[in-house]
Amino acid sequence: MHVKNWDKAKLDFGVFRDTVSMAADRARKLGDAPETNPSTAVWRLVEALRGHGCR
């Protein structure tokens, strides 16, 4: 997804809400994150939050 005029300091989650599940699924399919960049396994956090009713 390309967001015109992206500014990480002014994140509007509403722009991404509908695509979070798809992004987590794609990330999971990439496999385990390398130890040098554990943030690439953020899909695990997303799934944990979804498992607790967070959307």
Side-chain angles (χ1 to χ4, degrees):
M1 165 186 272
H2 174 76
V3 179
K4 190 175 180 178
N5 299 319
W6 165 253
D7 182 347
K8 68 180 180 180
K10 298 178 183 177
L11 177 65
D12 178 3
F13 181 70
V15 172
F16 301 99
R17 178 171 302 168
D18 294 337
T19 59
V20 169
S21 293
M22 290 185 294
D25 290 342
R26 285 193 306 269
R28 185 181 343 93
K29 290 176 184 175
L30 291 174
D32 291 331
E35 290 182 28
T36 57
N37 190 0
S39 65
T40 59
V42 73
W43 63 269
R44 293 178 189 271
L45 173 62
V46 171
E47 287 193 350
L49 292 171
R50 288 184 356 202
H52 285 88
C54 299
R55 294 178 67 180

